[in-house]
Amino acid sequence: MSDKNEKTEKNERLSVFKTYKLYVGGKFPRSESGRVYEVTDAKGKWLANAPQSSRKDARDAVVAARKAFGAWSGATAYNRGQILYRIAEMLEGRREQYVREVAEAEGLSKSKAAAQVDAAIDRWVWYAGWTDKIAQVVGGGNPVAGPFFNLSSPEPTGVVVVLAPQESSFLGLVSVVAPVIATGNTAVVIASERAPLPALSLGEVLATSDLPGGVVNILSGRTAEIAAPLAAHQDVNAIDLAGADEVLAKELEIAAADNLKRVLRPQPVDDWAAAPGTDRMTAFLETKTVWHPTGSLGASGSSY
C-alpha cells in the first residue's frame, strides 16, 4: 500500500458526537418520550440533540428530589459546604469544556466565556462558605415577656423547582441552583430552552461529586411544557421563576397557588456576575420558632 493511501485511511476517522441525557436521581436517563430537539449556536450552527423532557420525566424528577430531601436536609451544614466546594473543584478541572460550551451557547468570545465560567466556579465556592453561616444571620434568640427562651432557626422549604435563566446558560444557572441546595433543599431544574448543554454537562459533574443522587435533577426541553405540571404538582414546595417570561410566570403563579407553594417571581438581572447577596437563600427557608422554659429564676438571675 502506498504512503498516500495510508495517510488517507488515517484521516478517515469519524467524529464521536456527545449524547446529552437528562440527570434524574443520580442517573442519566433518556427522555421517557424518546423525543429530542436540535440545539444550535448563536449563528444557527447545529451543536447537539438535547432530550425533550415529558410530563413523566418531570414527575420522576420530583420523586427523586423528595426521596433525597430527608438525608440532604438532615446533613450538617458543614458537610453540605464541603460537598459544594468539591463541585467547584471538579468544575475547575473541566474549565476548558465549559468555556467552549458557554462560548457556543451564548455567542461569546473565548475570553468572555472564560470570565463567565470563572465567575460560576467562584459562585459555587461562595455558597459553599454560606452553608454553615446563614443560620447565624437569619436565626437567633428573641426577647419575650416571661421566663422562656425563644429561639428561631431556619429550615429548608423542601422540593424546589428552578427555571434556569434563559440568557445565561451557566453563570445564571449556578446562581439560581447553588443557593437552593446550600440551604438543604432539593431541586428540579429546567435548563435554558435555547442553551441547555452547559446545564446537562453540569449533571456529569454532580454525578461524580459527593452530591447524593436526587439532590439536583436536571431536565431539558420546552420550558413551558415542563414547568406547567411542576407548578401544579402537589409534592413541590416552591418554585423559582427566574427563566419564565411575564406571561408564563403569571400562569405558573396561578398553578402554584393550589398548594400554597413559595414563589420567587422573576427579577431583572443586569449582571449575573454581581454579588448575589443572601436573597436567593432566604427565599426558600422556613423559620421554626421554639419556646423553652428558662427554669427557676432567683434574685441572681436564671438557673442556667
Side-chain angles (χ1 to χ4, degrees):
M1 183 180 292
S2 68
D3 292 341
K4 183 178 180 180
N5 289 337
E6 287 181 1
K7 185 176 181 181
T8 301
E9 285 187 4
K10 289 180 180 178
N11 291 336
E12 288 179 350
R13 181 177 179 273
L14 296 176
S15 299
V16 179
F17 293 106
K18 183 173 180 177
T19 302
Y20 287 89
K21 297 181 181 179
L22 308 177
Y23 181 58
V24 177
K27 299 179 180 179
F28 295 93
R30 300 178 187 272
S31 173
E32 174 270 339
S33 66
R35 299 177 300 170
V36 297
Y37 71 103
E38 291 188 354
V39 178
T40 60
D41 65 12
K43 296 181 179 179
K45 178 185 175 183
W46 180 86
L47 294 175
N49 289 336
Q52 188 169 332
S53 303
S54 67
R55 289 171 177 259
K56 175 66 164 54
D57 295 319
R59 292 195 298 270
D60 289 345
V62 174
V63 171
R66 177 58 64 190
K67 184 177 180 181
F69 176 69
W72 182 244
S73 61
T76 65
Y78 178 71
N79 179 242
R80 287 199 298 268
Q82 287 182 308
I83 291 173
L84 263 67
Y85 188 83
R86 173 62 178 159
I87 294 170
E89 289 180 337
M90 298 185 71
L91 289 174
E92 183 75 25
R94 297 177 65 166
R95 179 179 179 275
E96 292 305 313
Q97 173 194 345
Y98 285 101
V99 169
R100 174 178 53 80
E101 290 188 341
V102 170
E104 292 174 342
E106 301 179 26
L108 301 175
S109 65
K110 185 176 180 181
S111 60
K112 289 184 178 180
Q116 292 284 301
V117 173
D118 289 343
I121 296 171
D122 293 345
R123 186 63 43 87
W124 273 113
V125 175
W126 194 81
Y127 279 113
W130 267 104
T131 57
D132 59 355
K133 299 175 183 64
I134 188 66
Q136 301 173 48
V137 174
V138 300
N142 309 309
V144 294
F148 301 98
F149 291 122
N150 183 267
L151 305 173
S152 293
S153 60
E155 292 192 340
T157 296
V159 175
V160 181
V161 170
V162 179
L163 277 63
Q166 299 294 336
E167 73 287 353
S168 184
S169 62
F170 191 56
L171 175 56
L173 169 79
V174 168
S175 298
V176 296
V177 174
V180 169
I181 65 172
T183 50
N185 298 289
T186 54
V188 176
V189 182
I190 304 175
S192 165
E193 182 175 333
R194 183 183 65 82
L197 303 187
L200 296 176
S201 291
L202 177 62
E204 298 171 4
V205 168
L206 301 180
T208 51
S209 70
D210 297 324
L211 190 74
V215 172
V216 175
N217 305 274
I218 302 174
L219 306 174
S220 61
R222 309 305 179 195
T223 300
E225 181 181 339
I226 309 168
L230 289 173
H233 201 296
Q234 296 297 299
D235 202 25
V236 170
N237 303 106
I239 184 167
D240 183 344
L241 300 176
D245 59 30
E246 186 176 343
V247 174
L248 178 59
K250 185 174 182 180
E251 293 175 359
L252 297 179
E253 281 189 68
I254 294 171
D258 193 43
N259 75 331
L260 303 179
K261 291 179 179 66
R262 278 179 172 256
V263 176
L264 183 59
R265 295 176 175 83
Q267 304 161 6
V269 178
D270 296 327
D271 181 12
W272 283 104
T278 60
D279 289 352
R280 288 193 176 275
M281 286 186 285
T282 57
F284 302 114
L285 286 173
E286 306 284 348
T287 300
K288 178 178 73 175
T289 300
V290 176
W291 293 70
H292 192 281
T294 59
S296 59
L297 290 171
S300 61
S302 170
S303 61
Y304 287 90

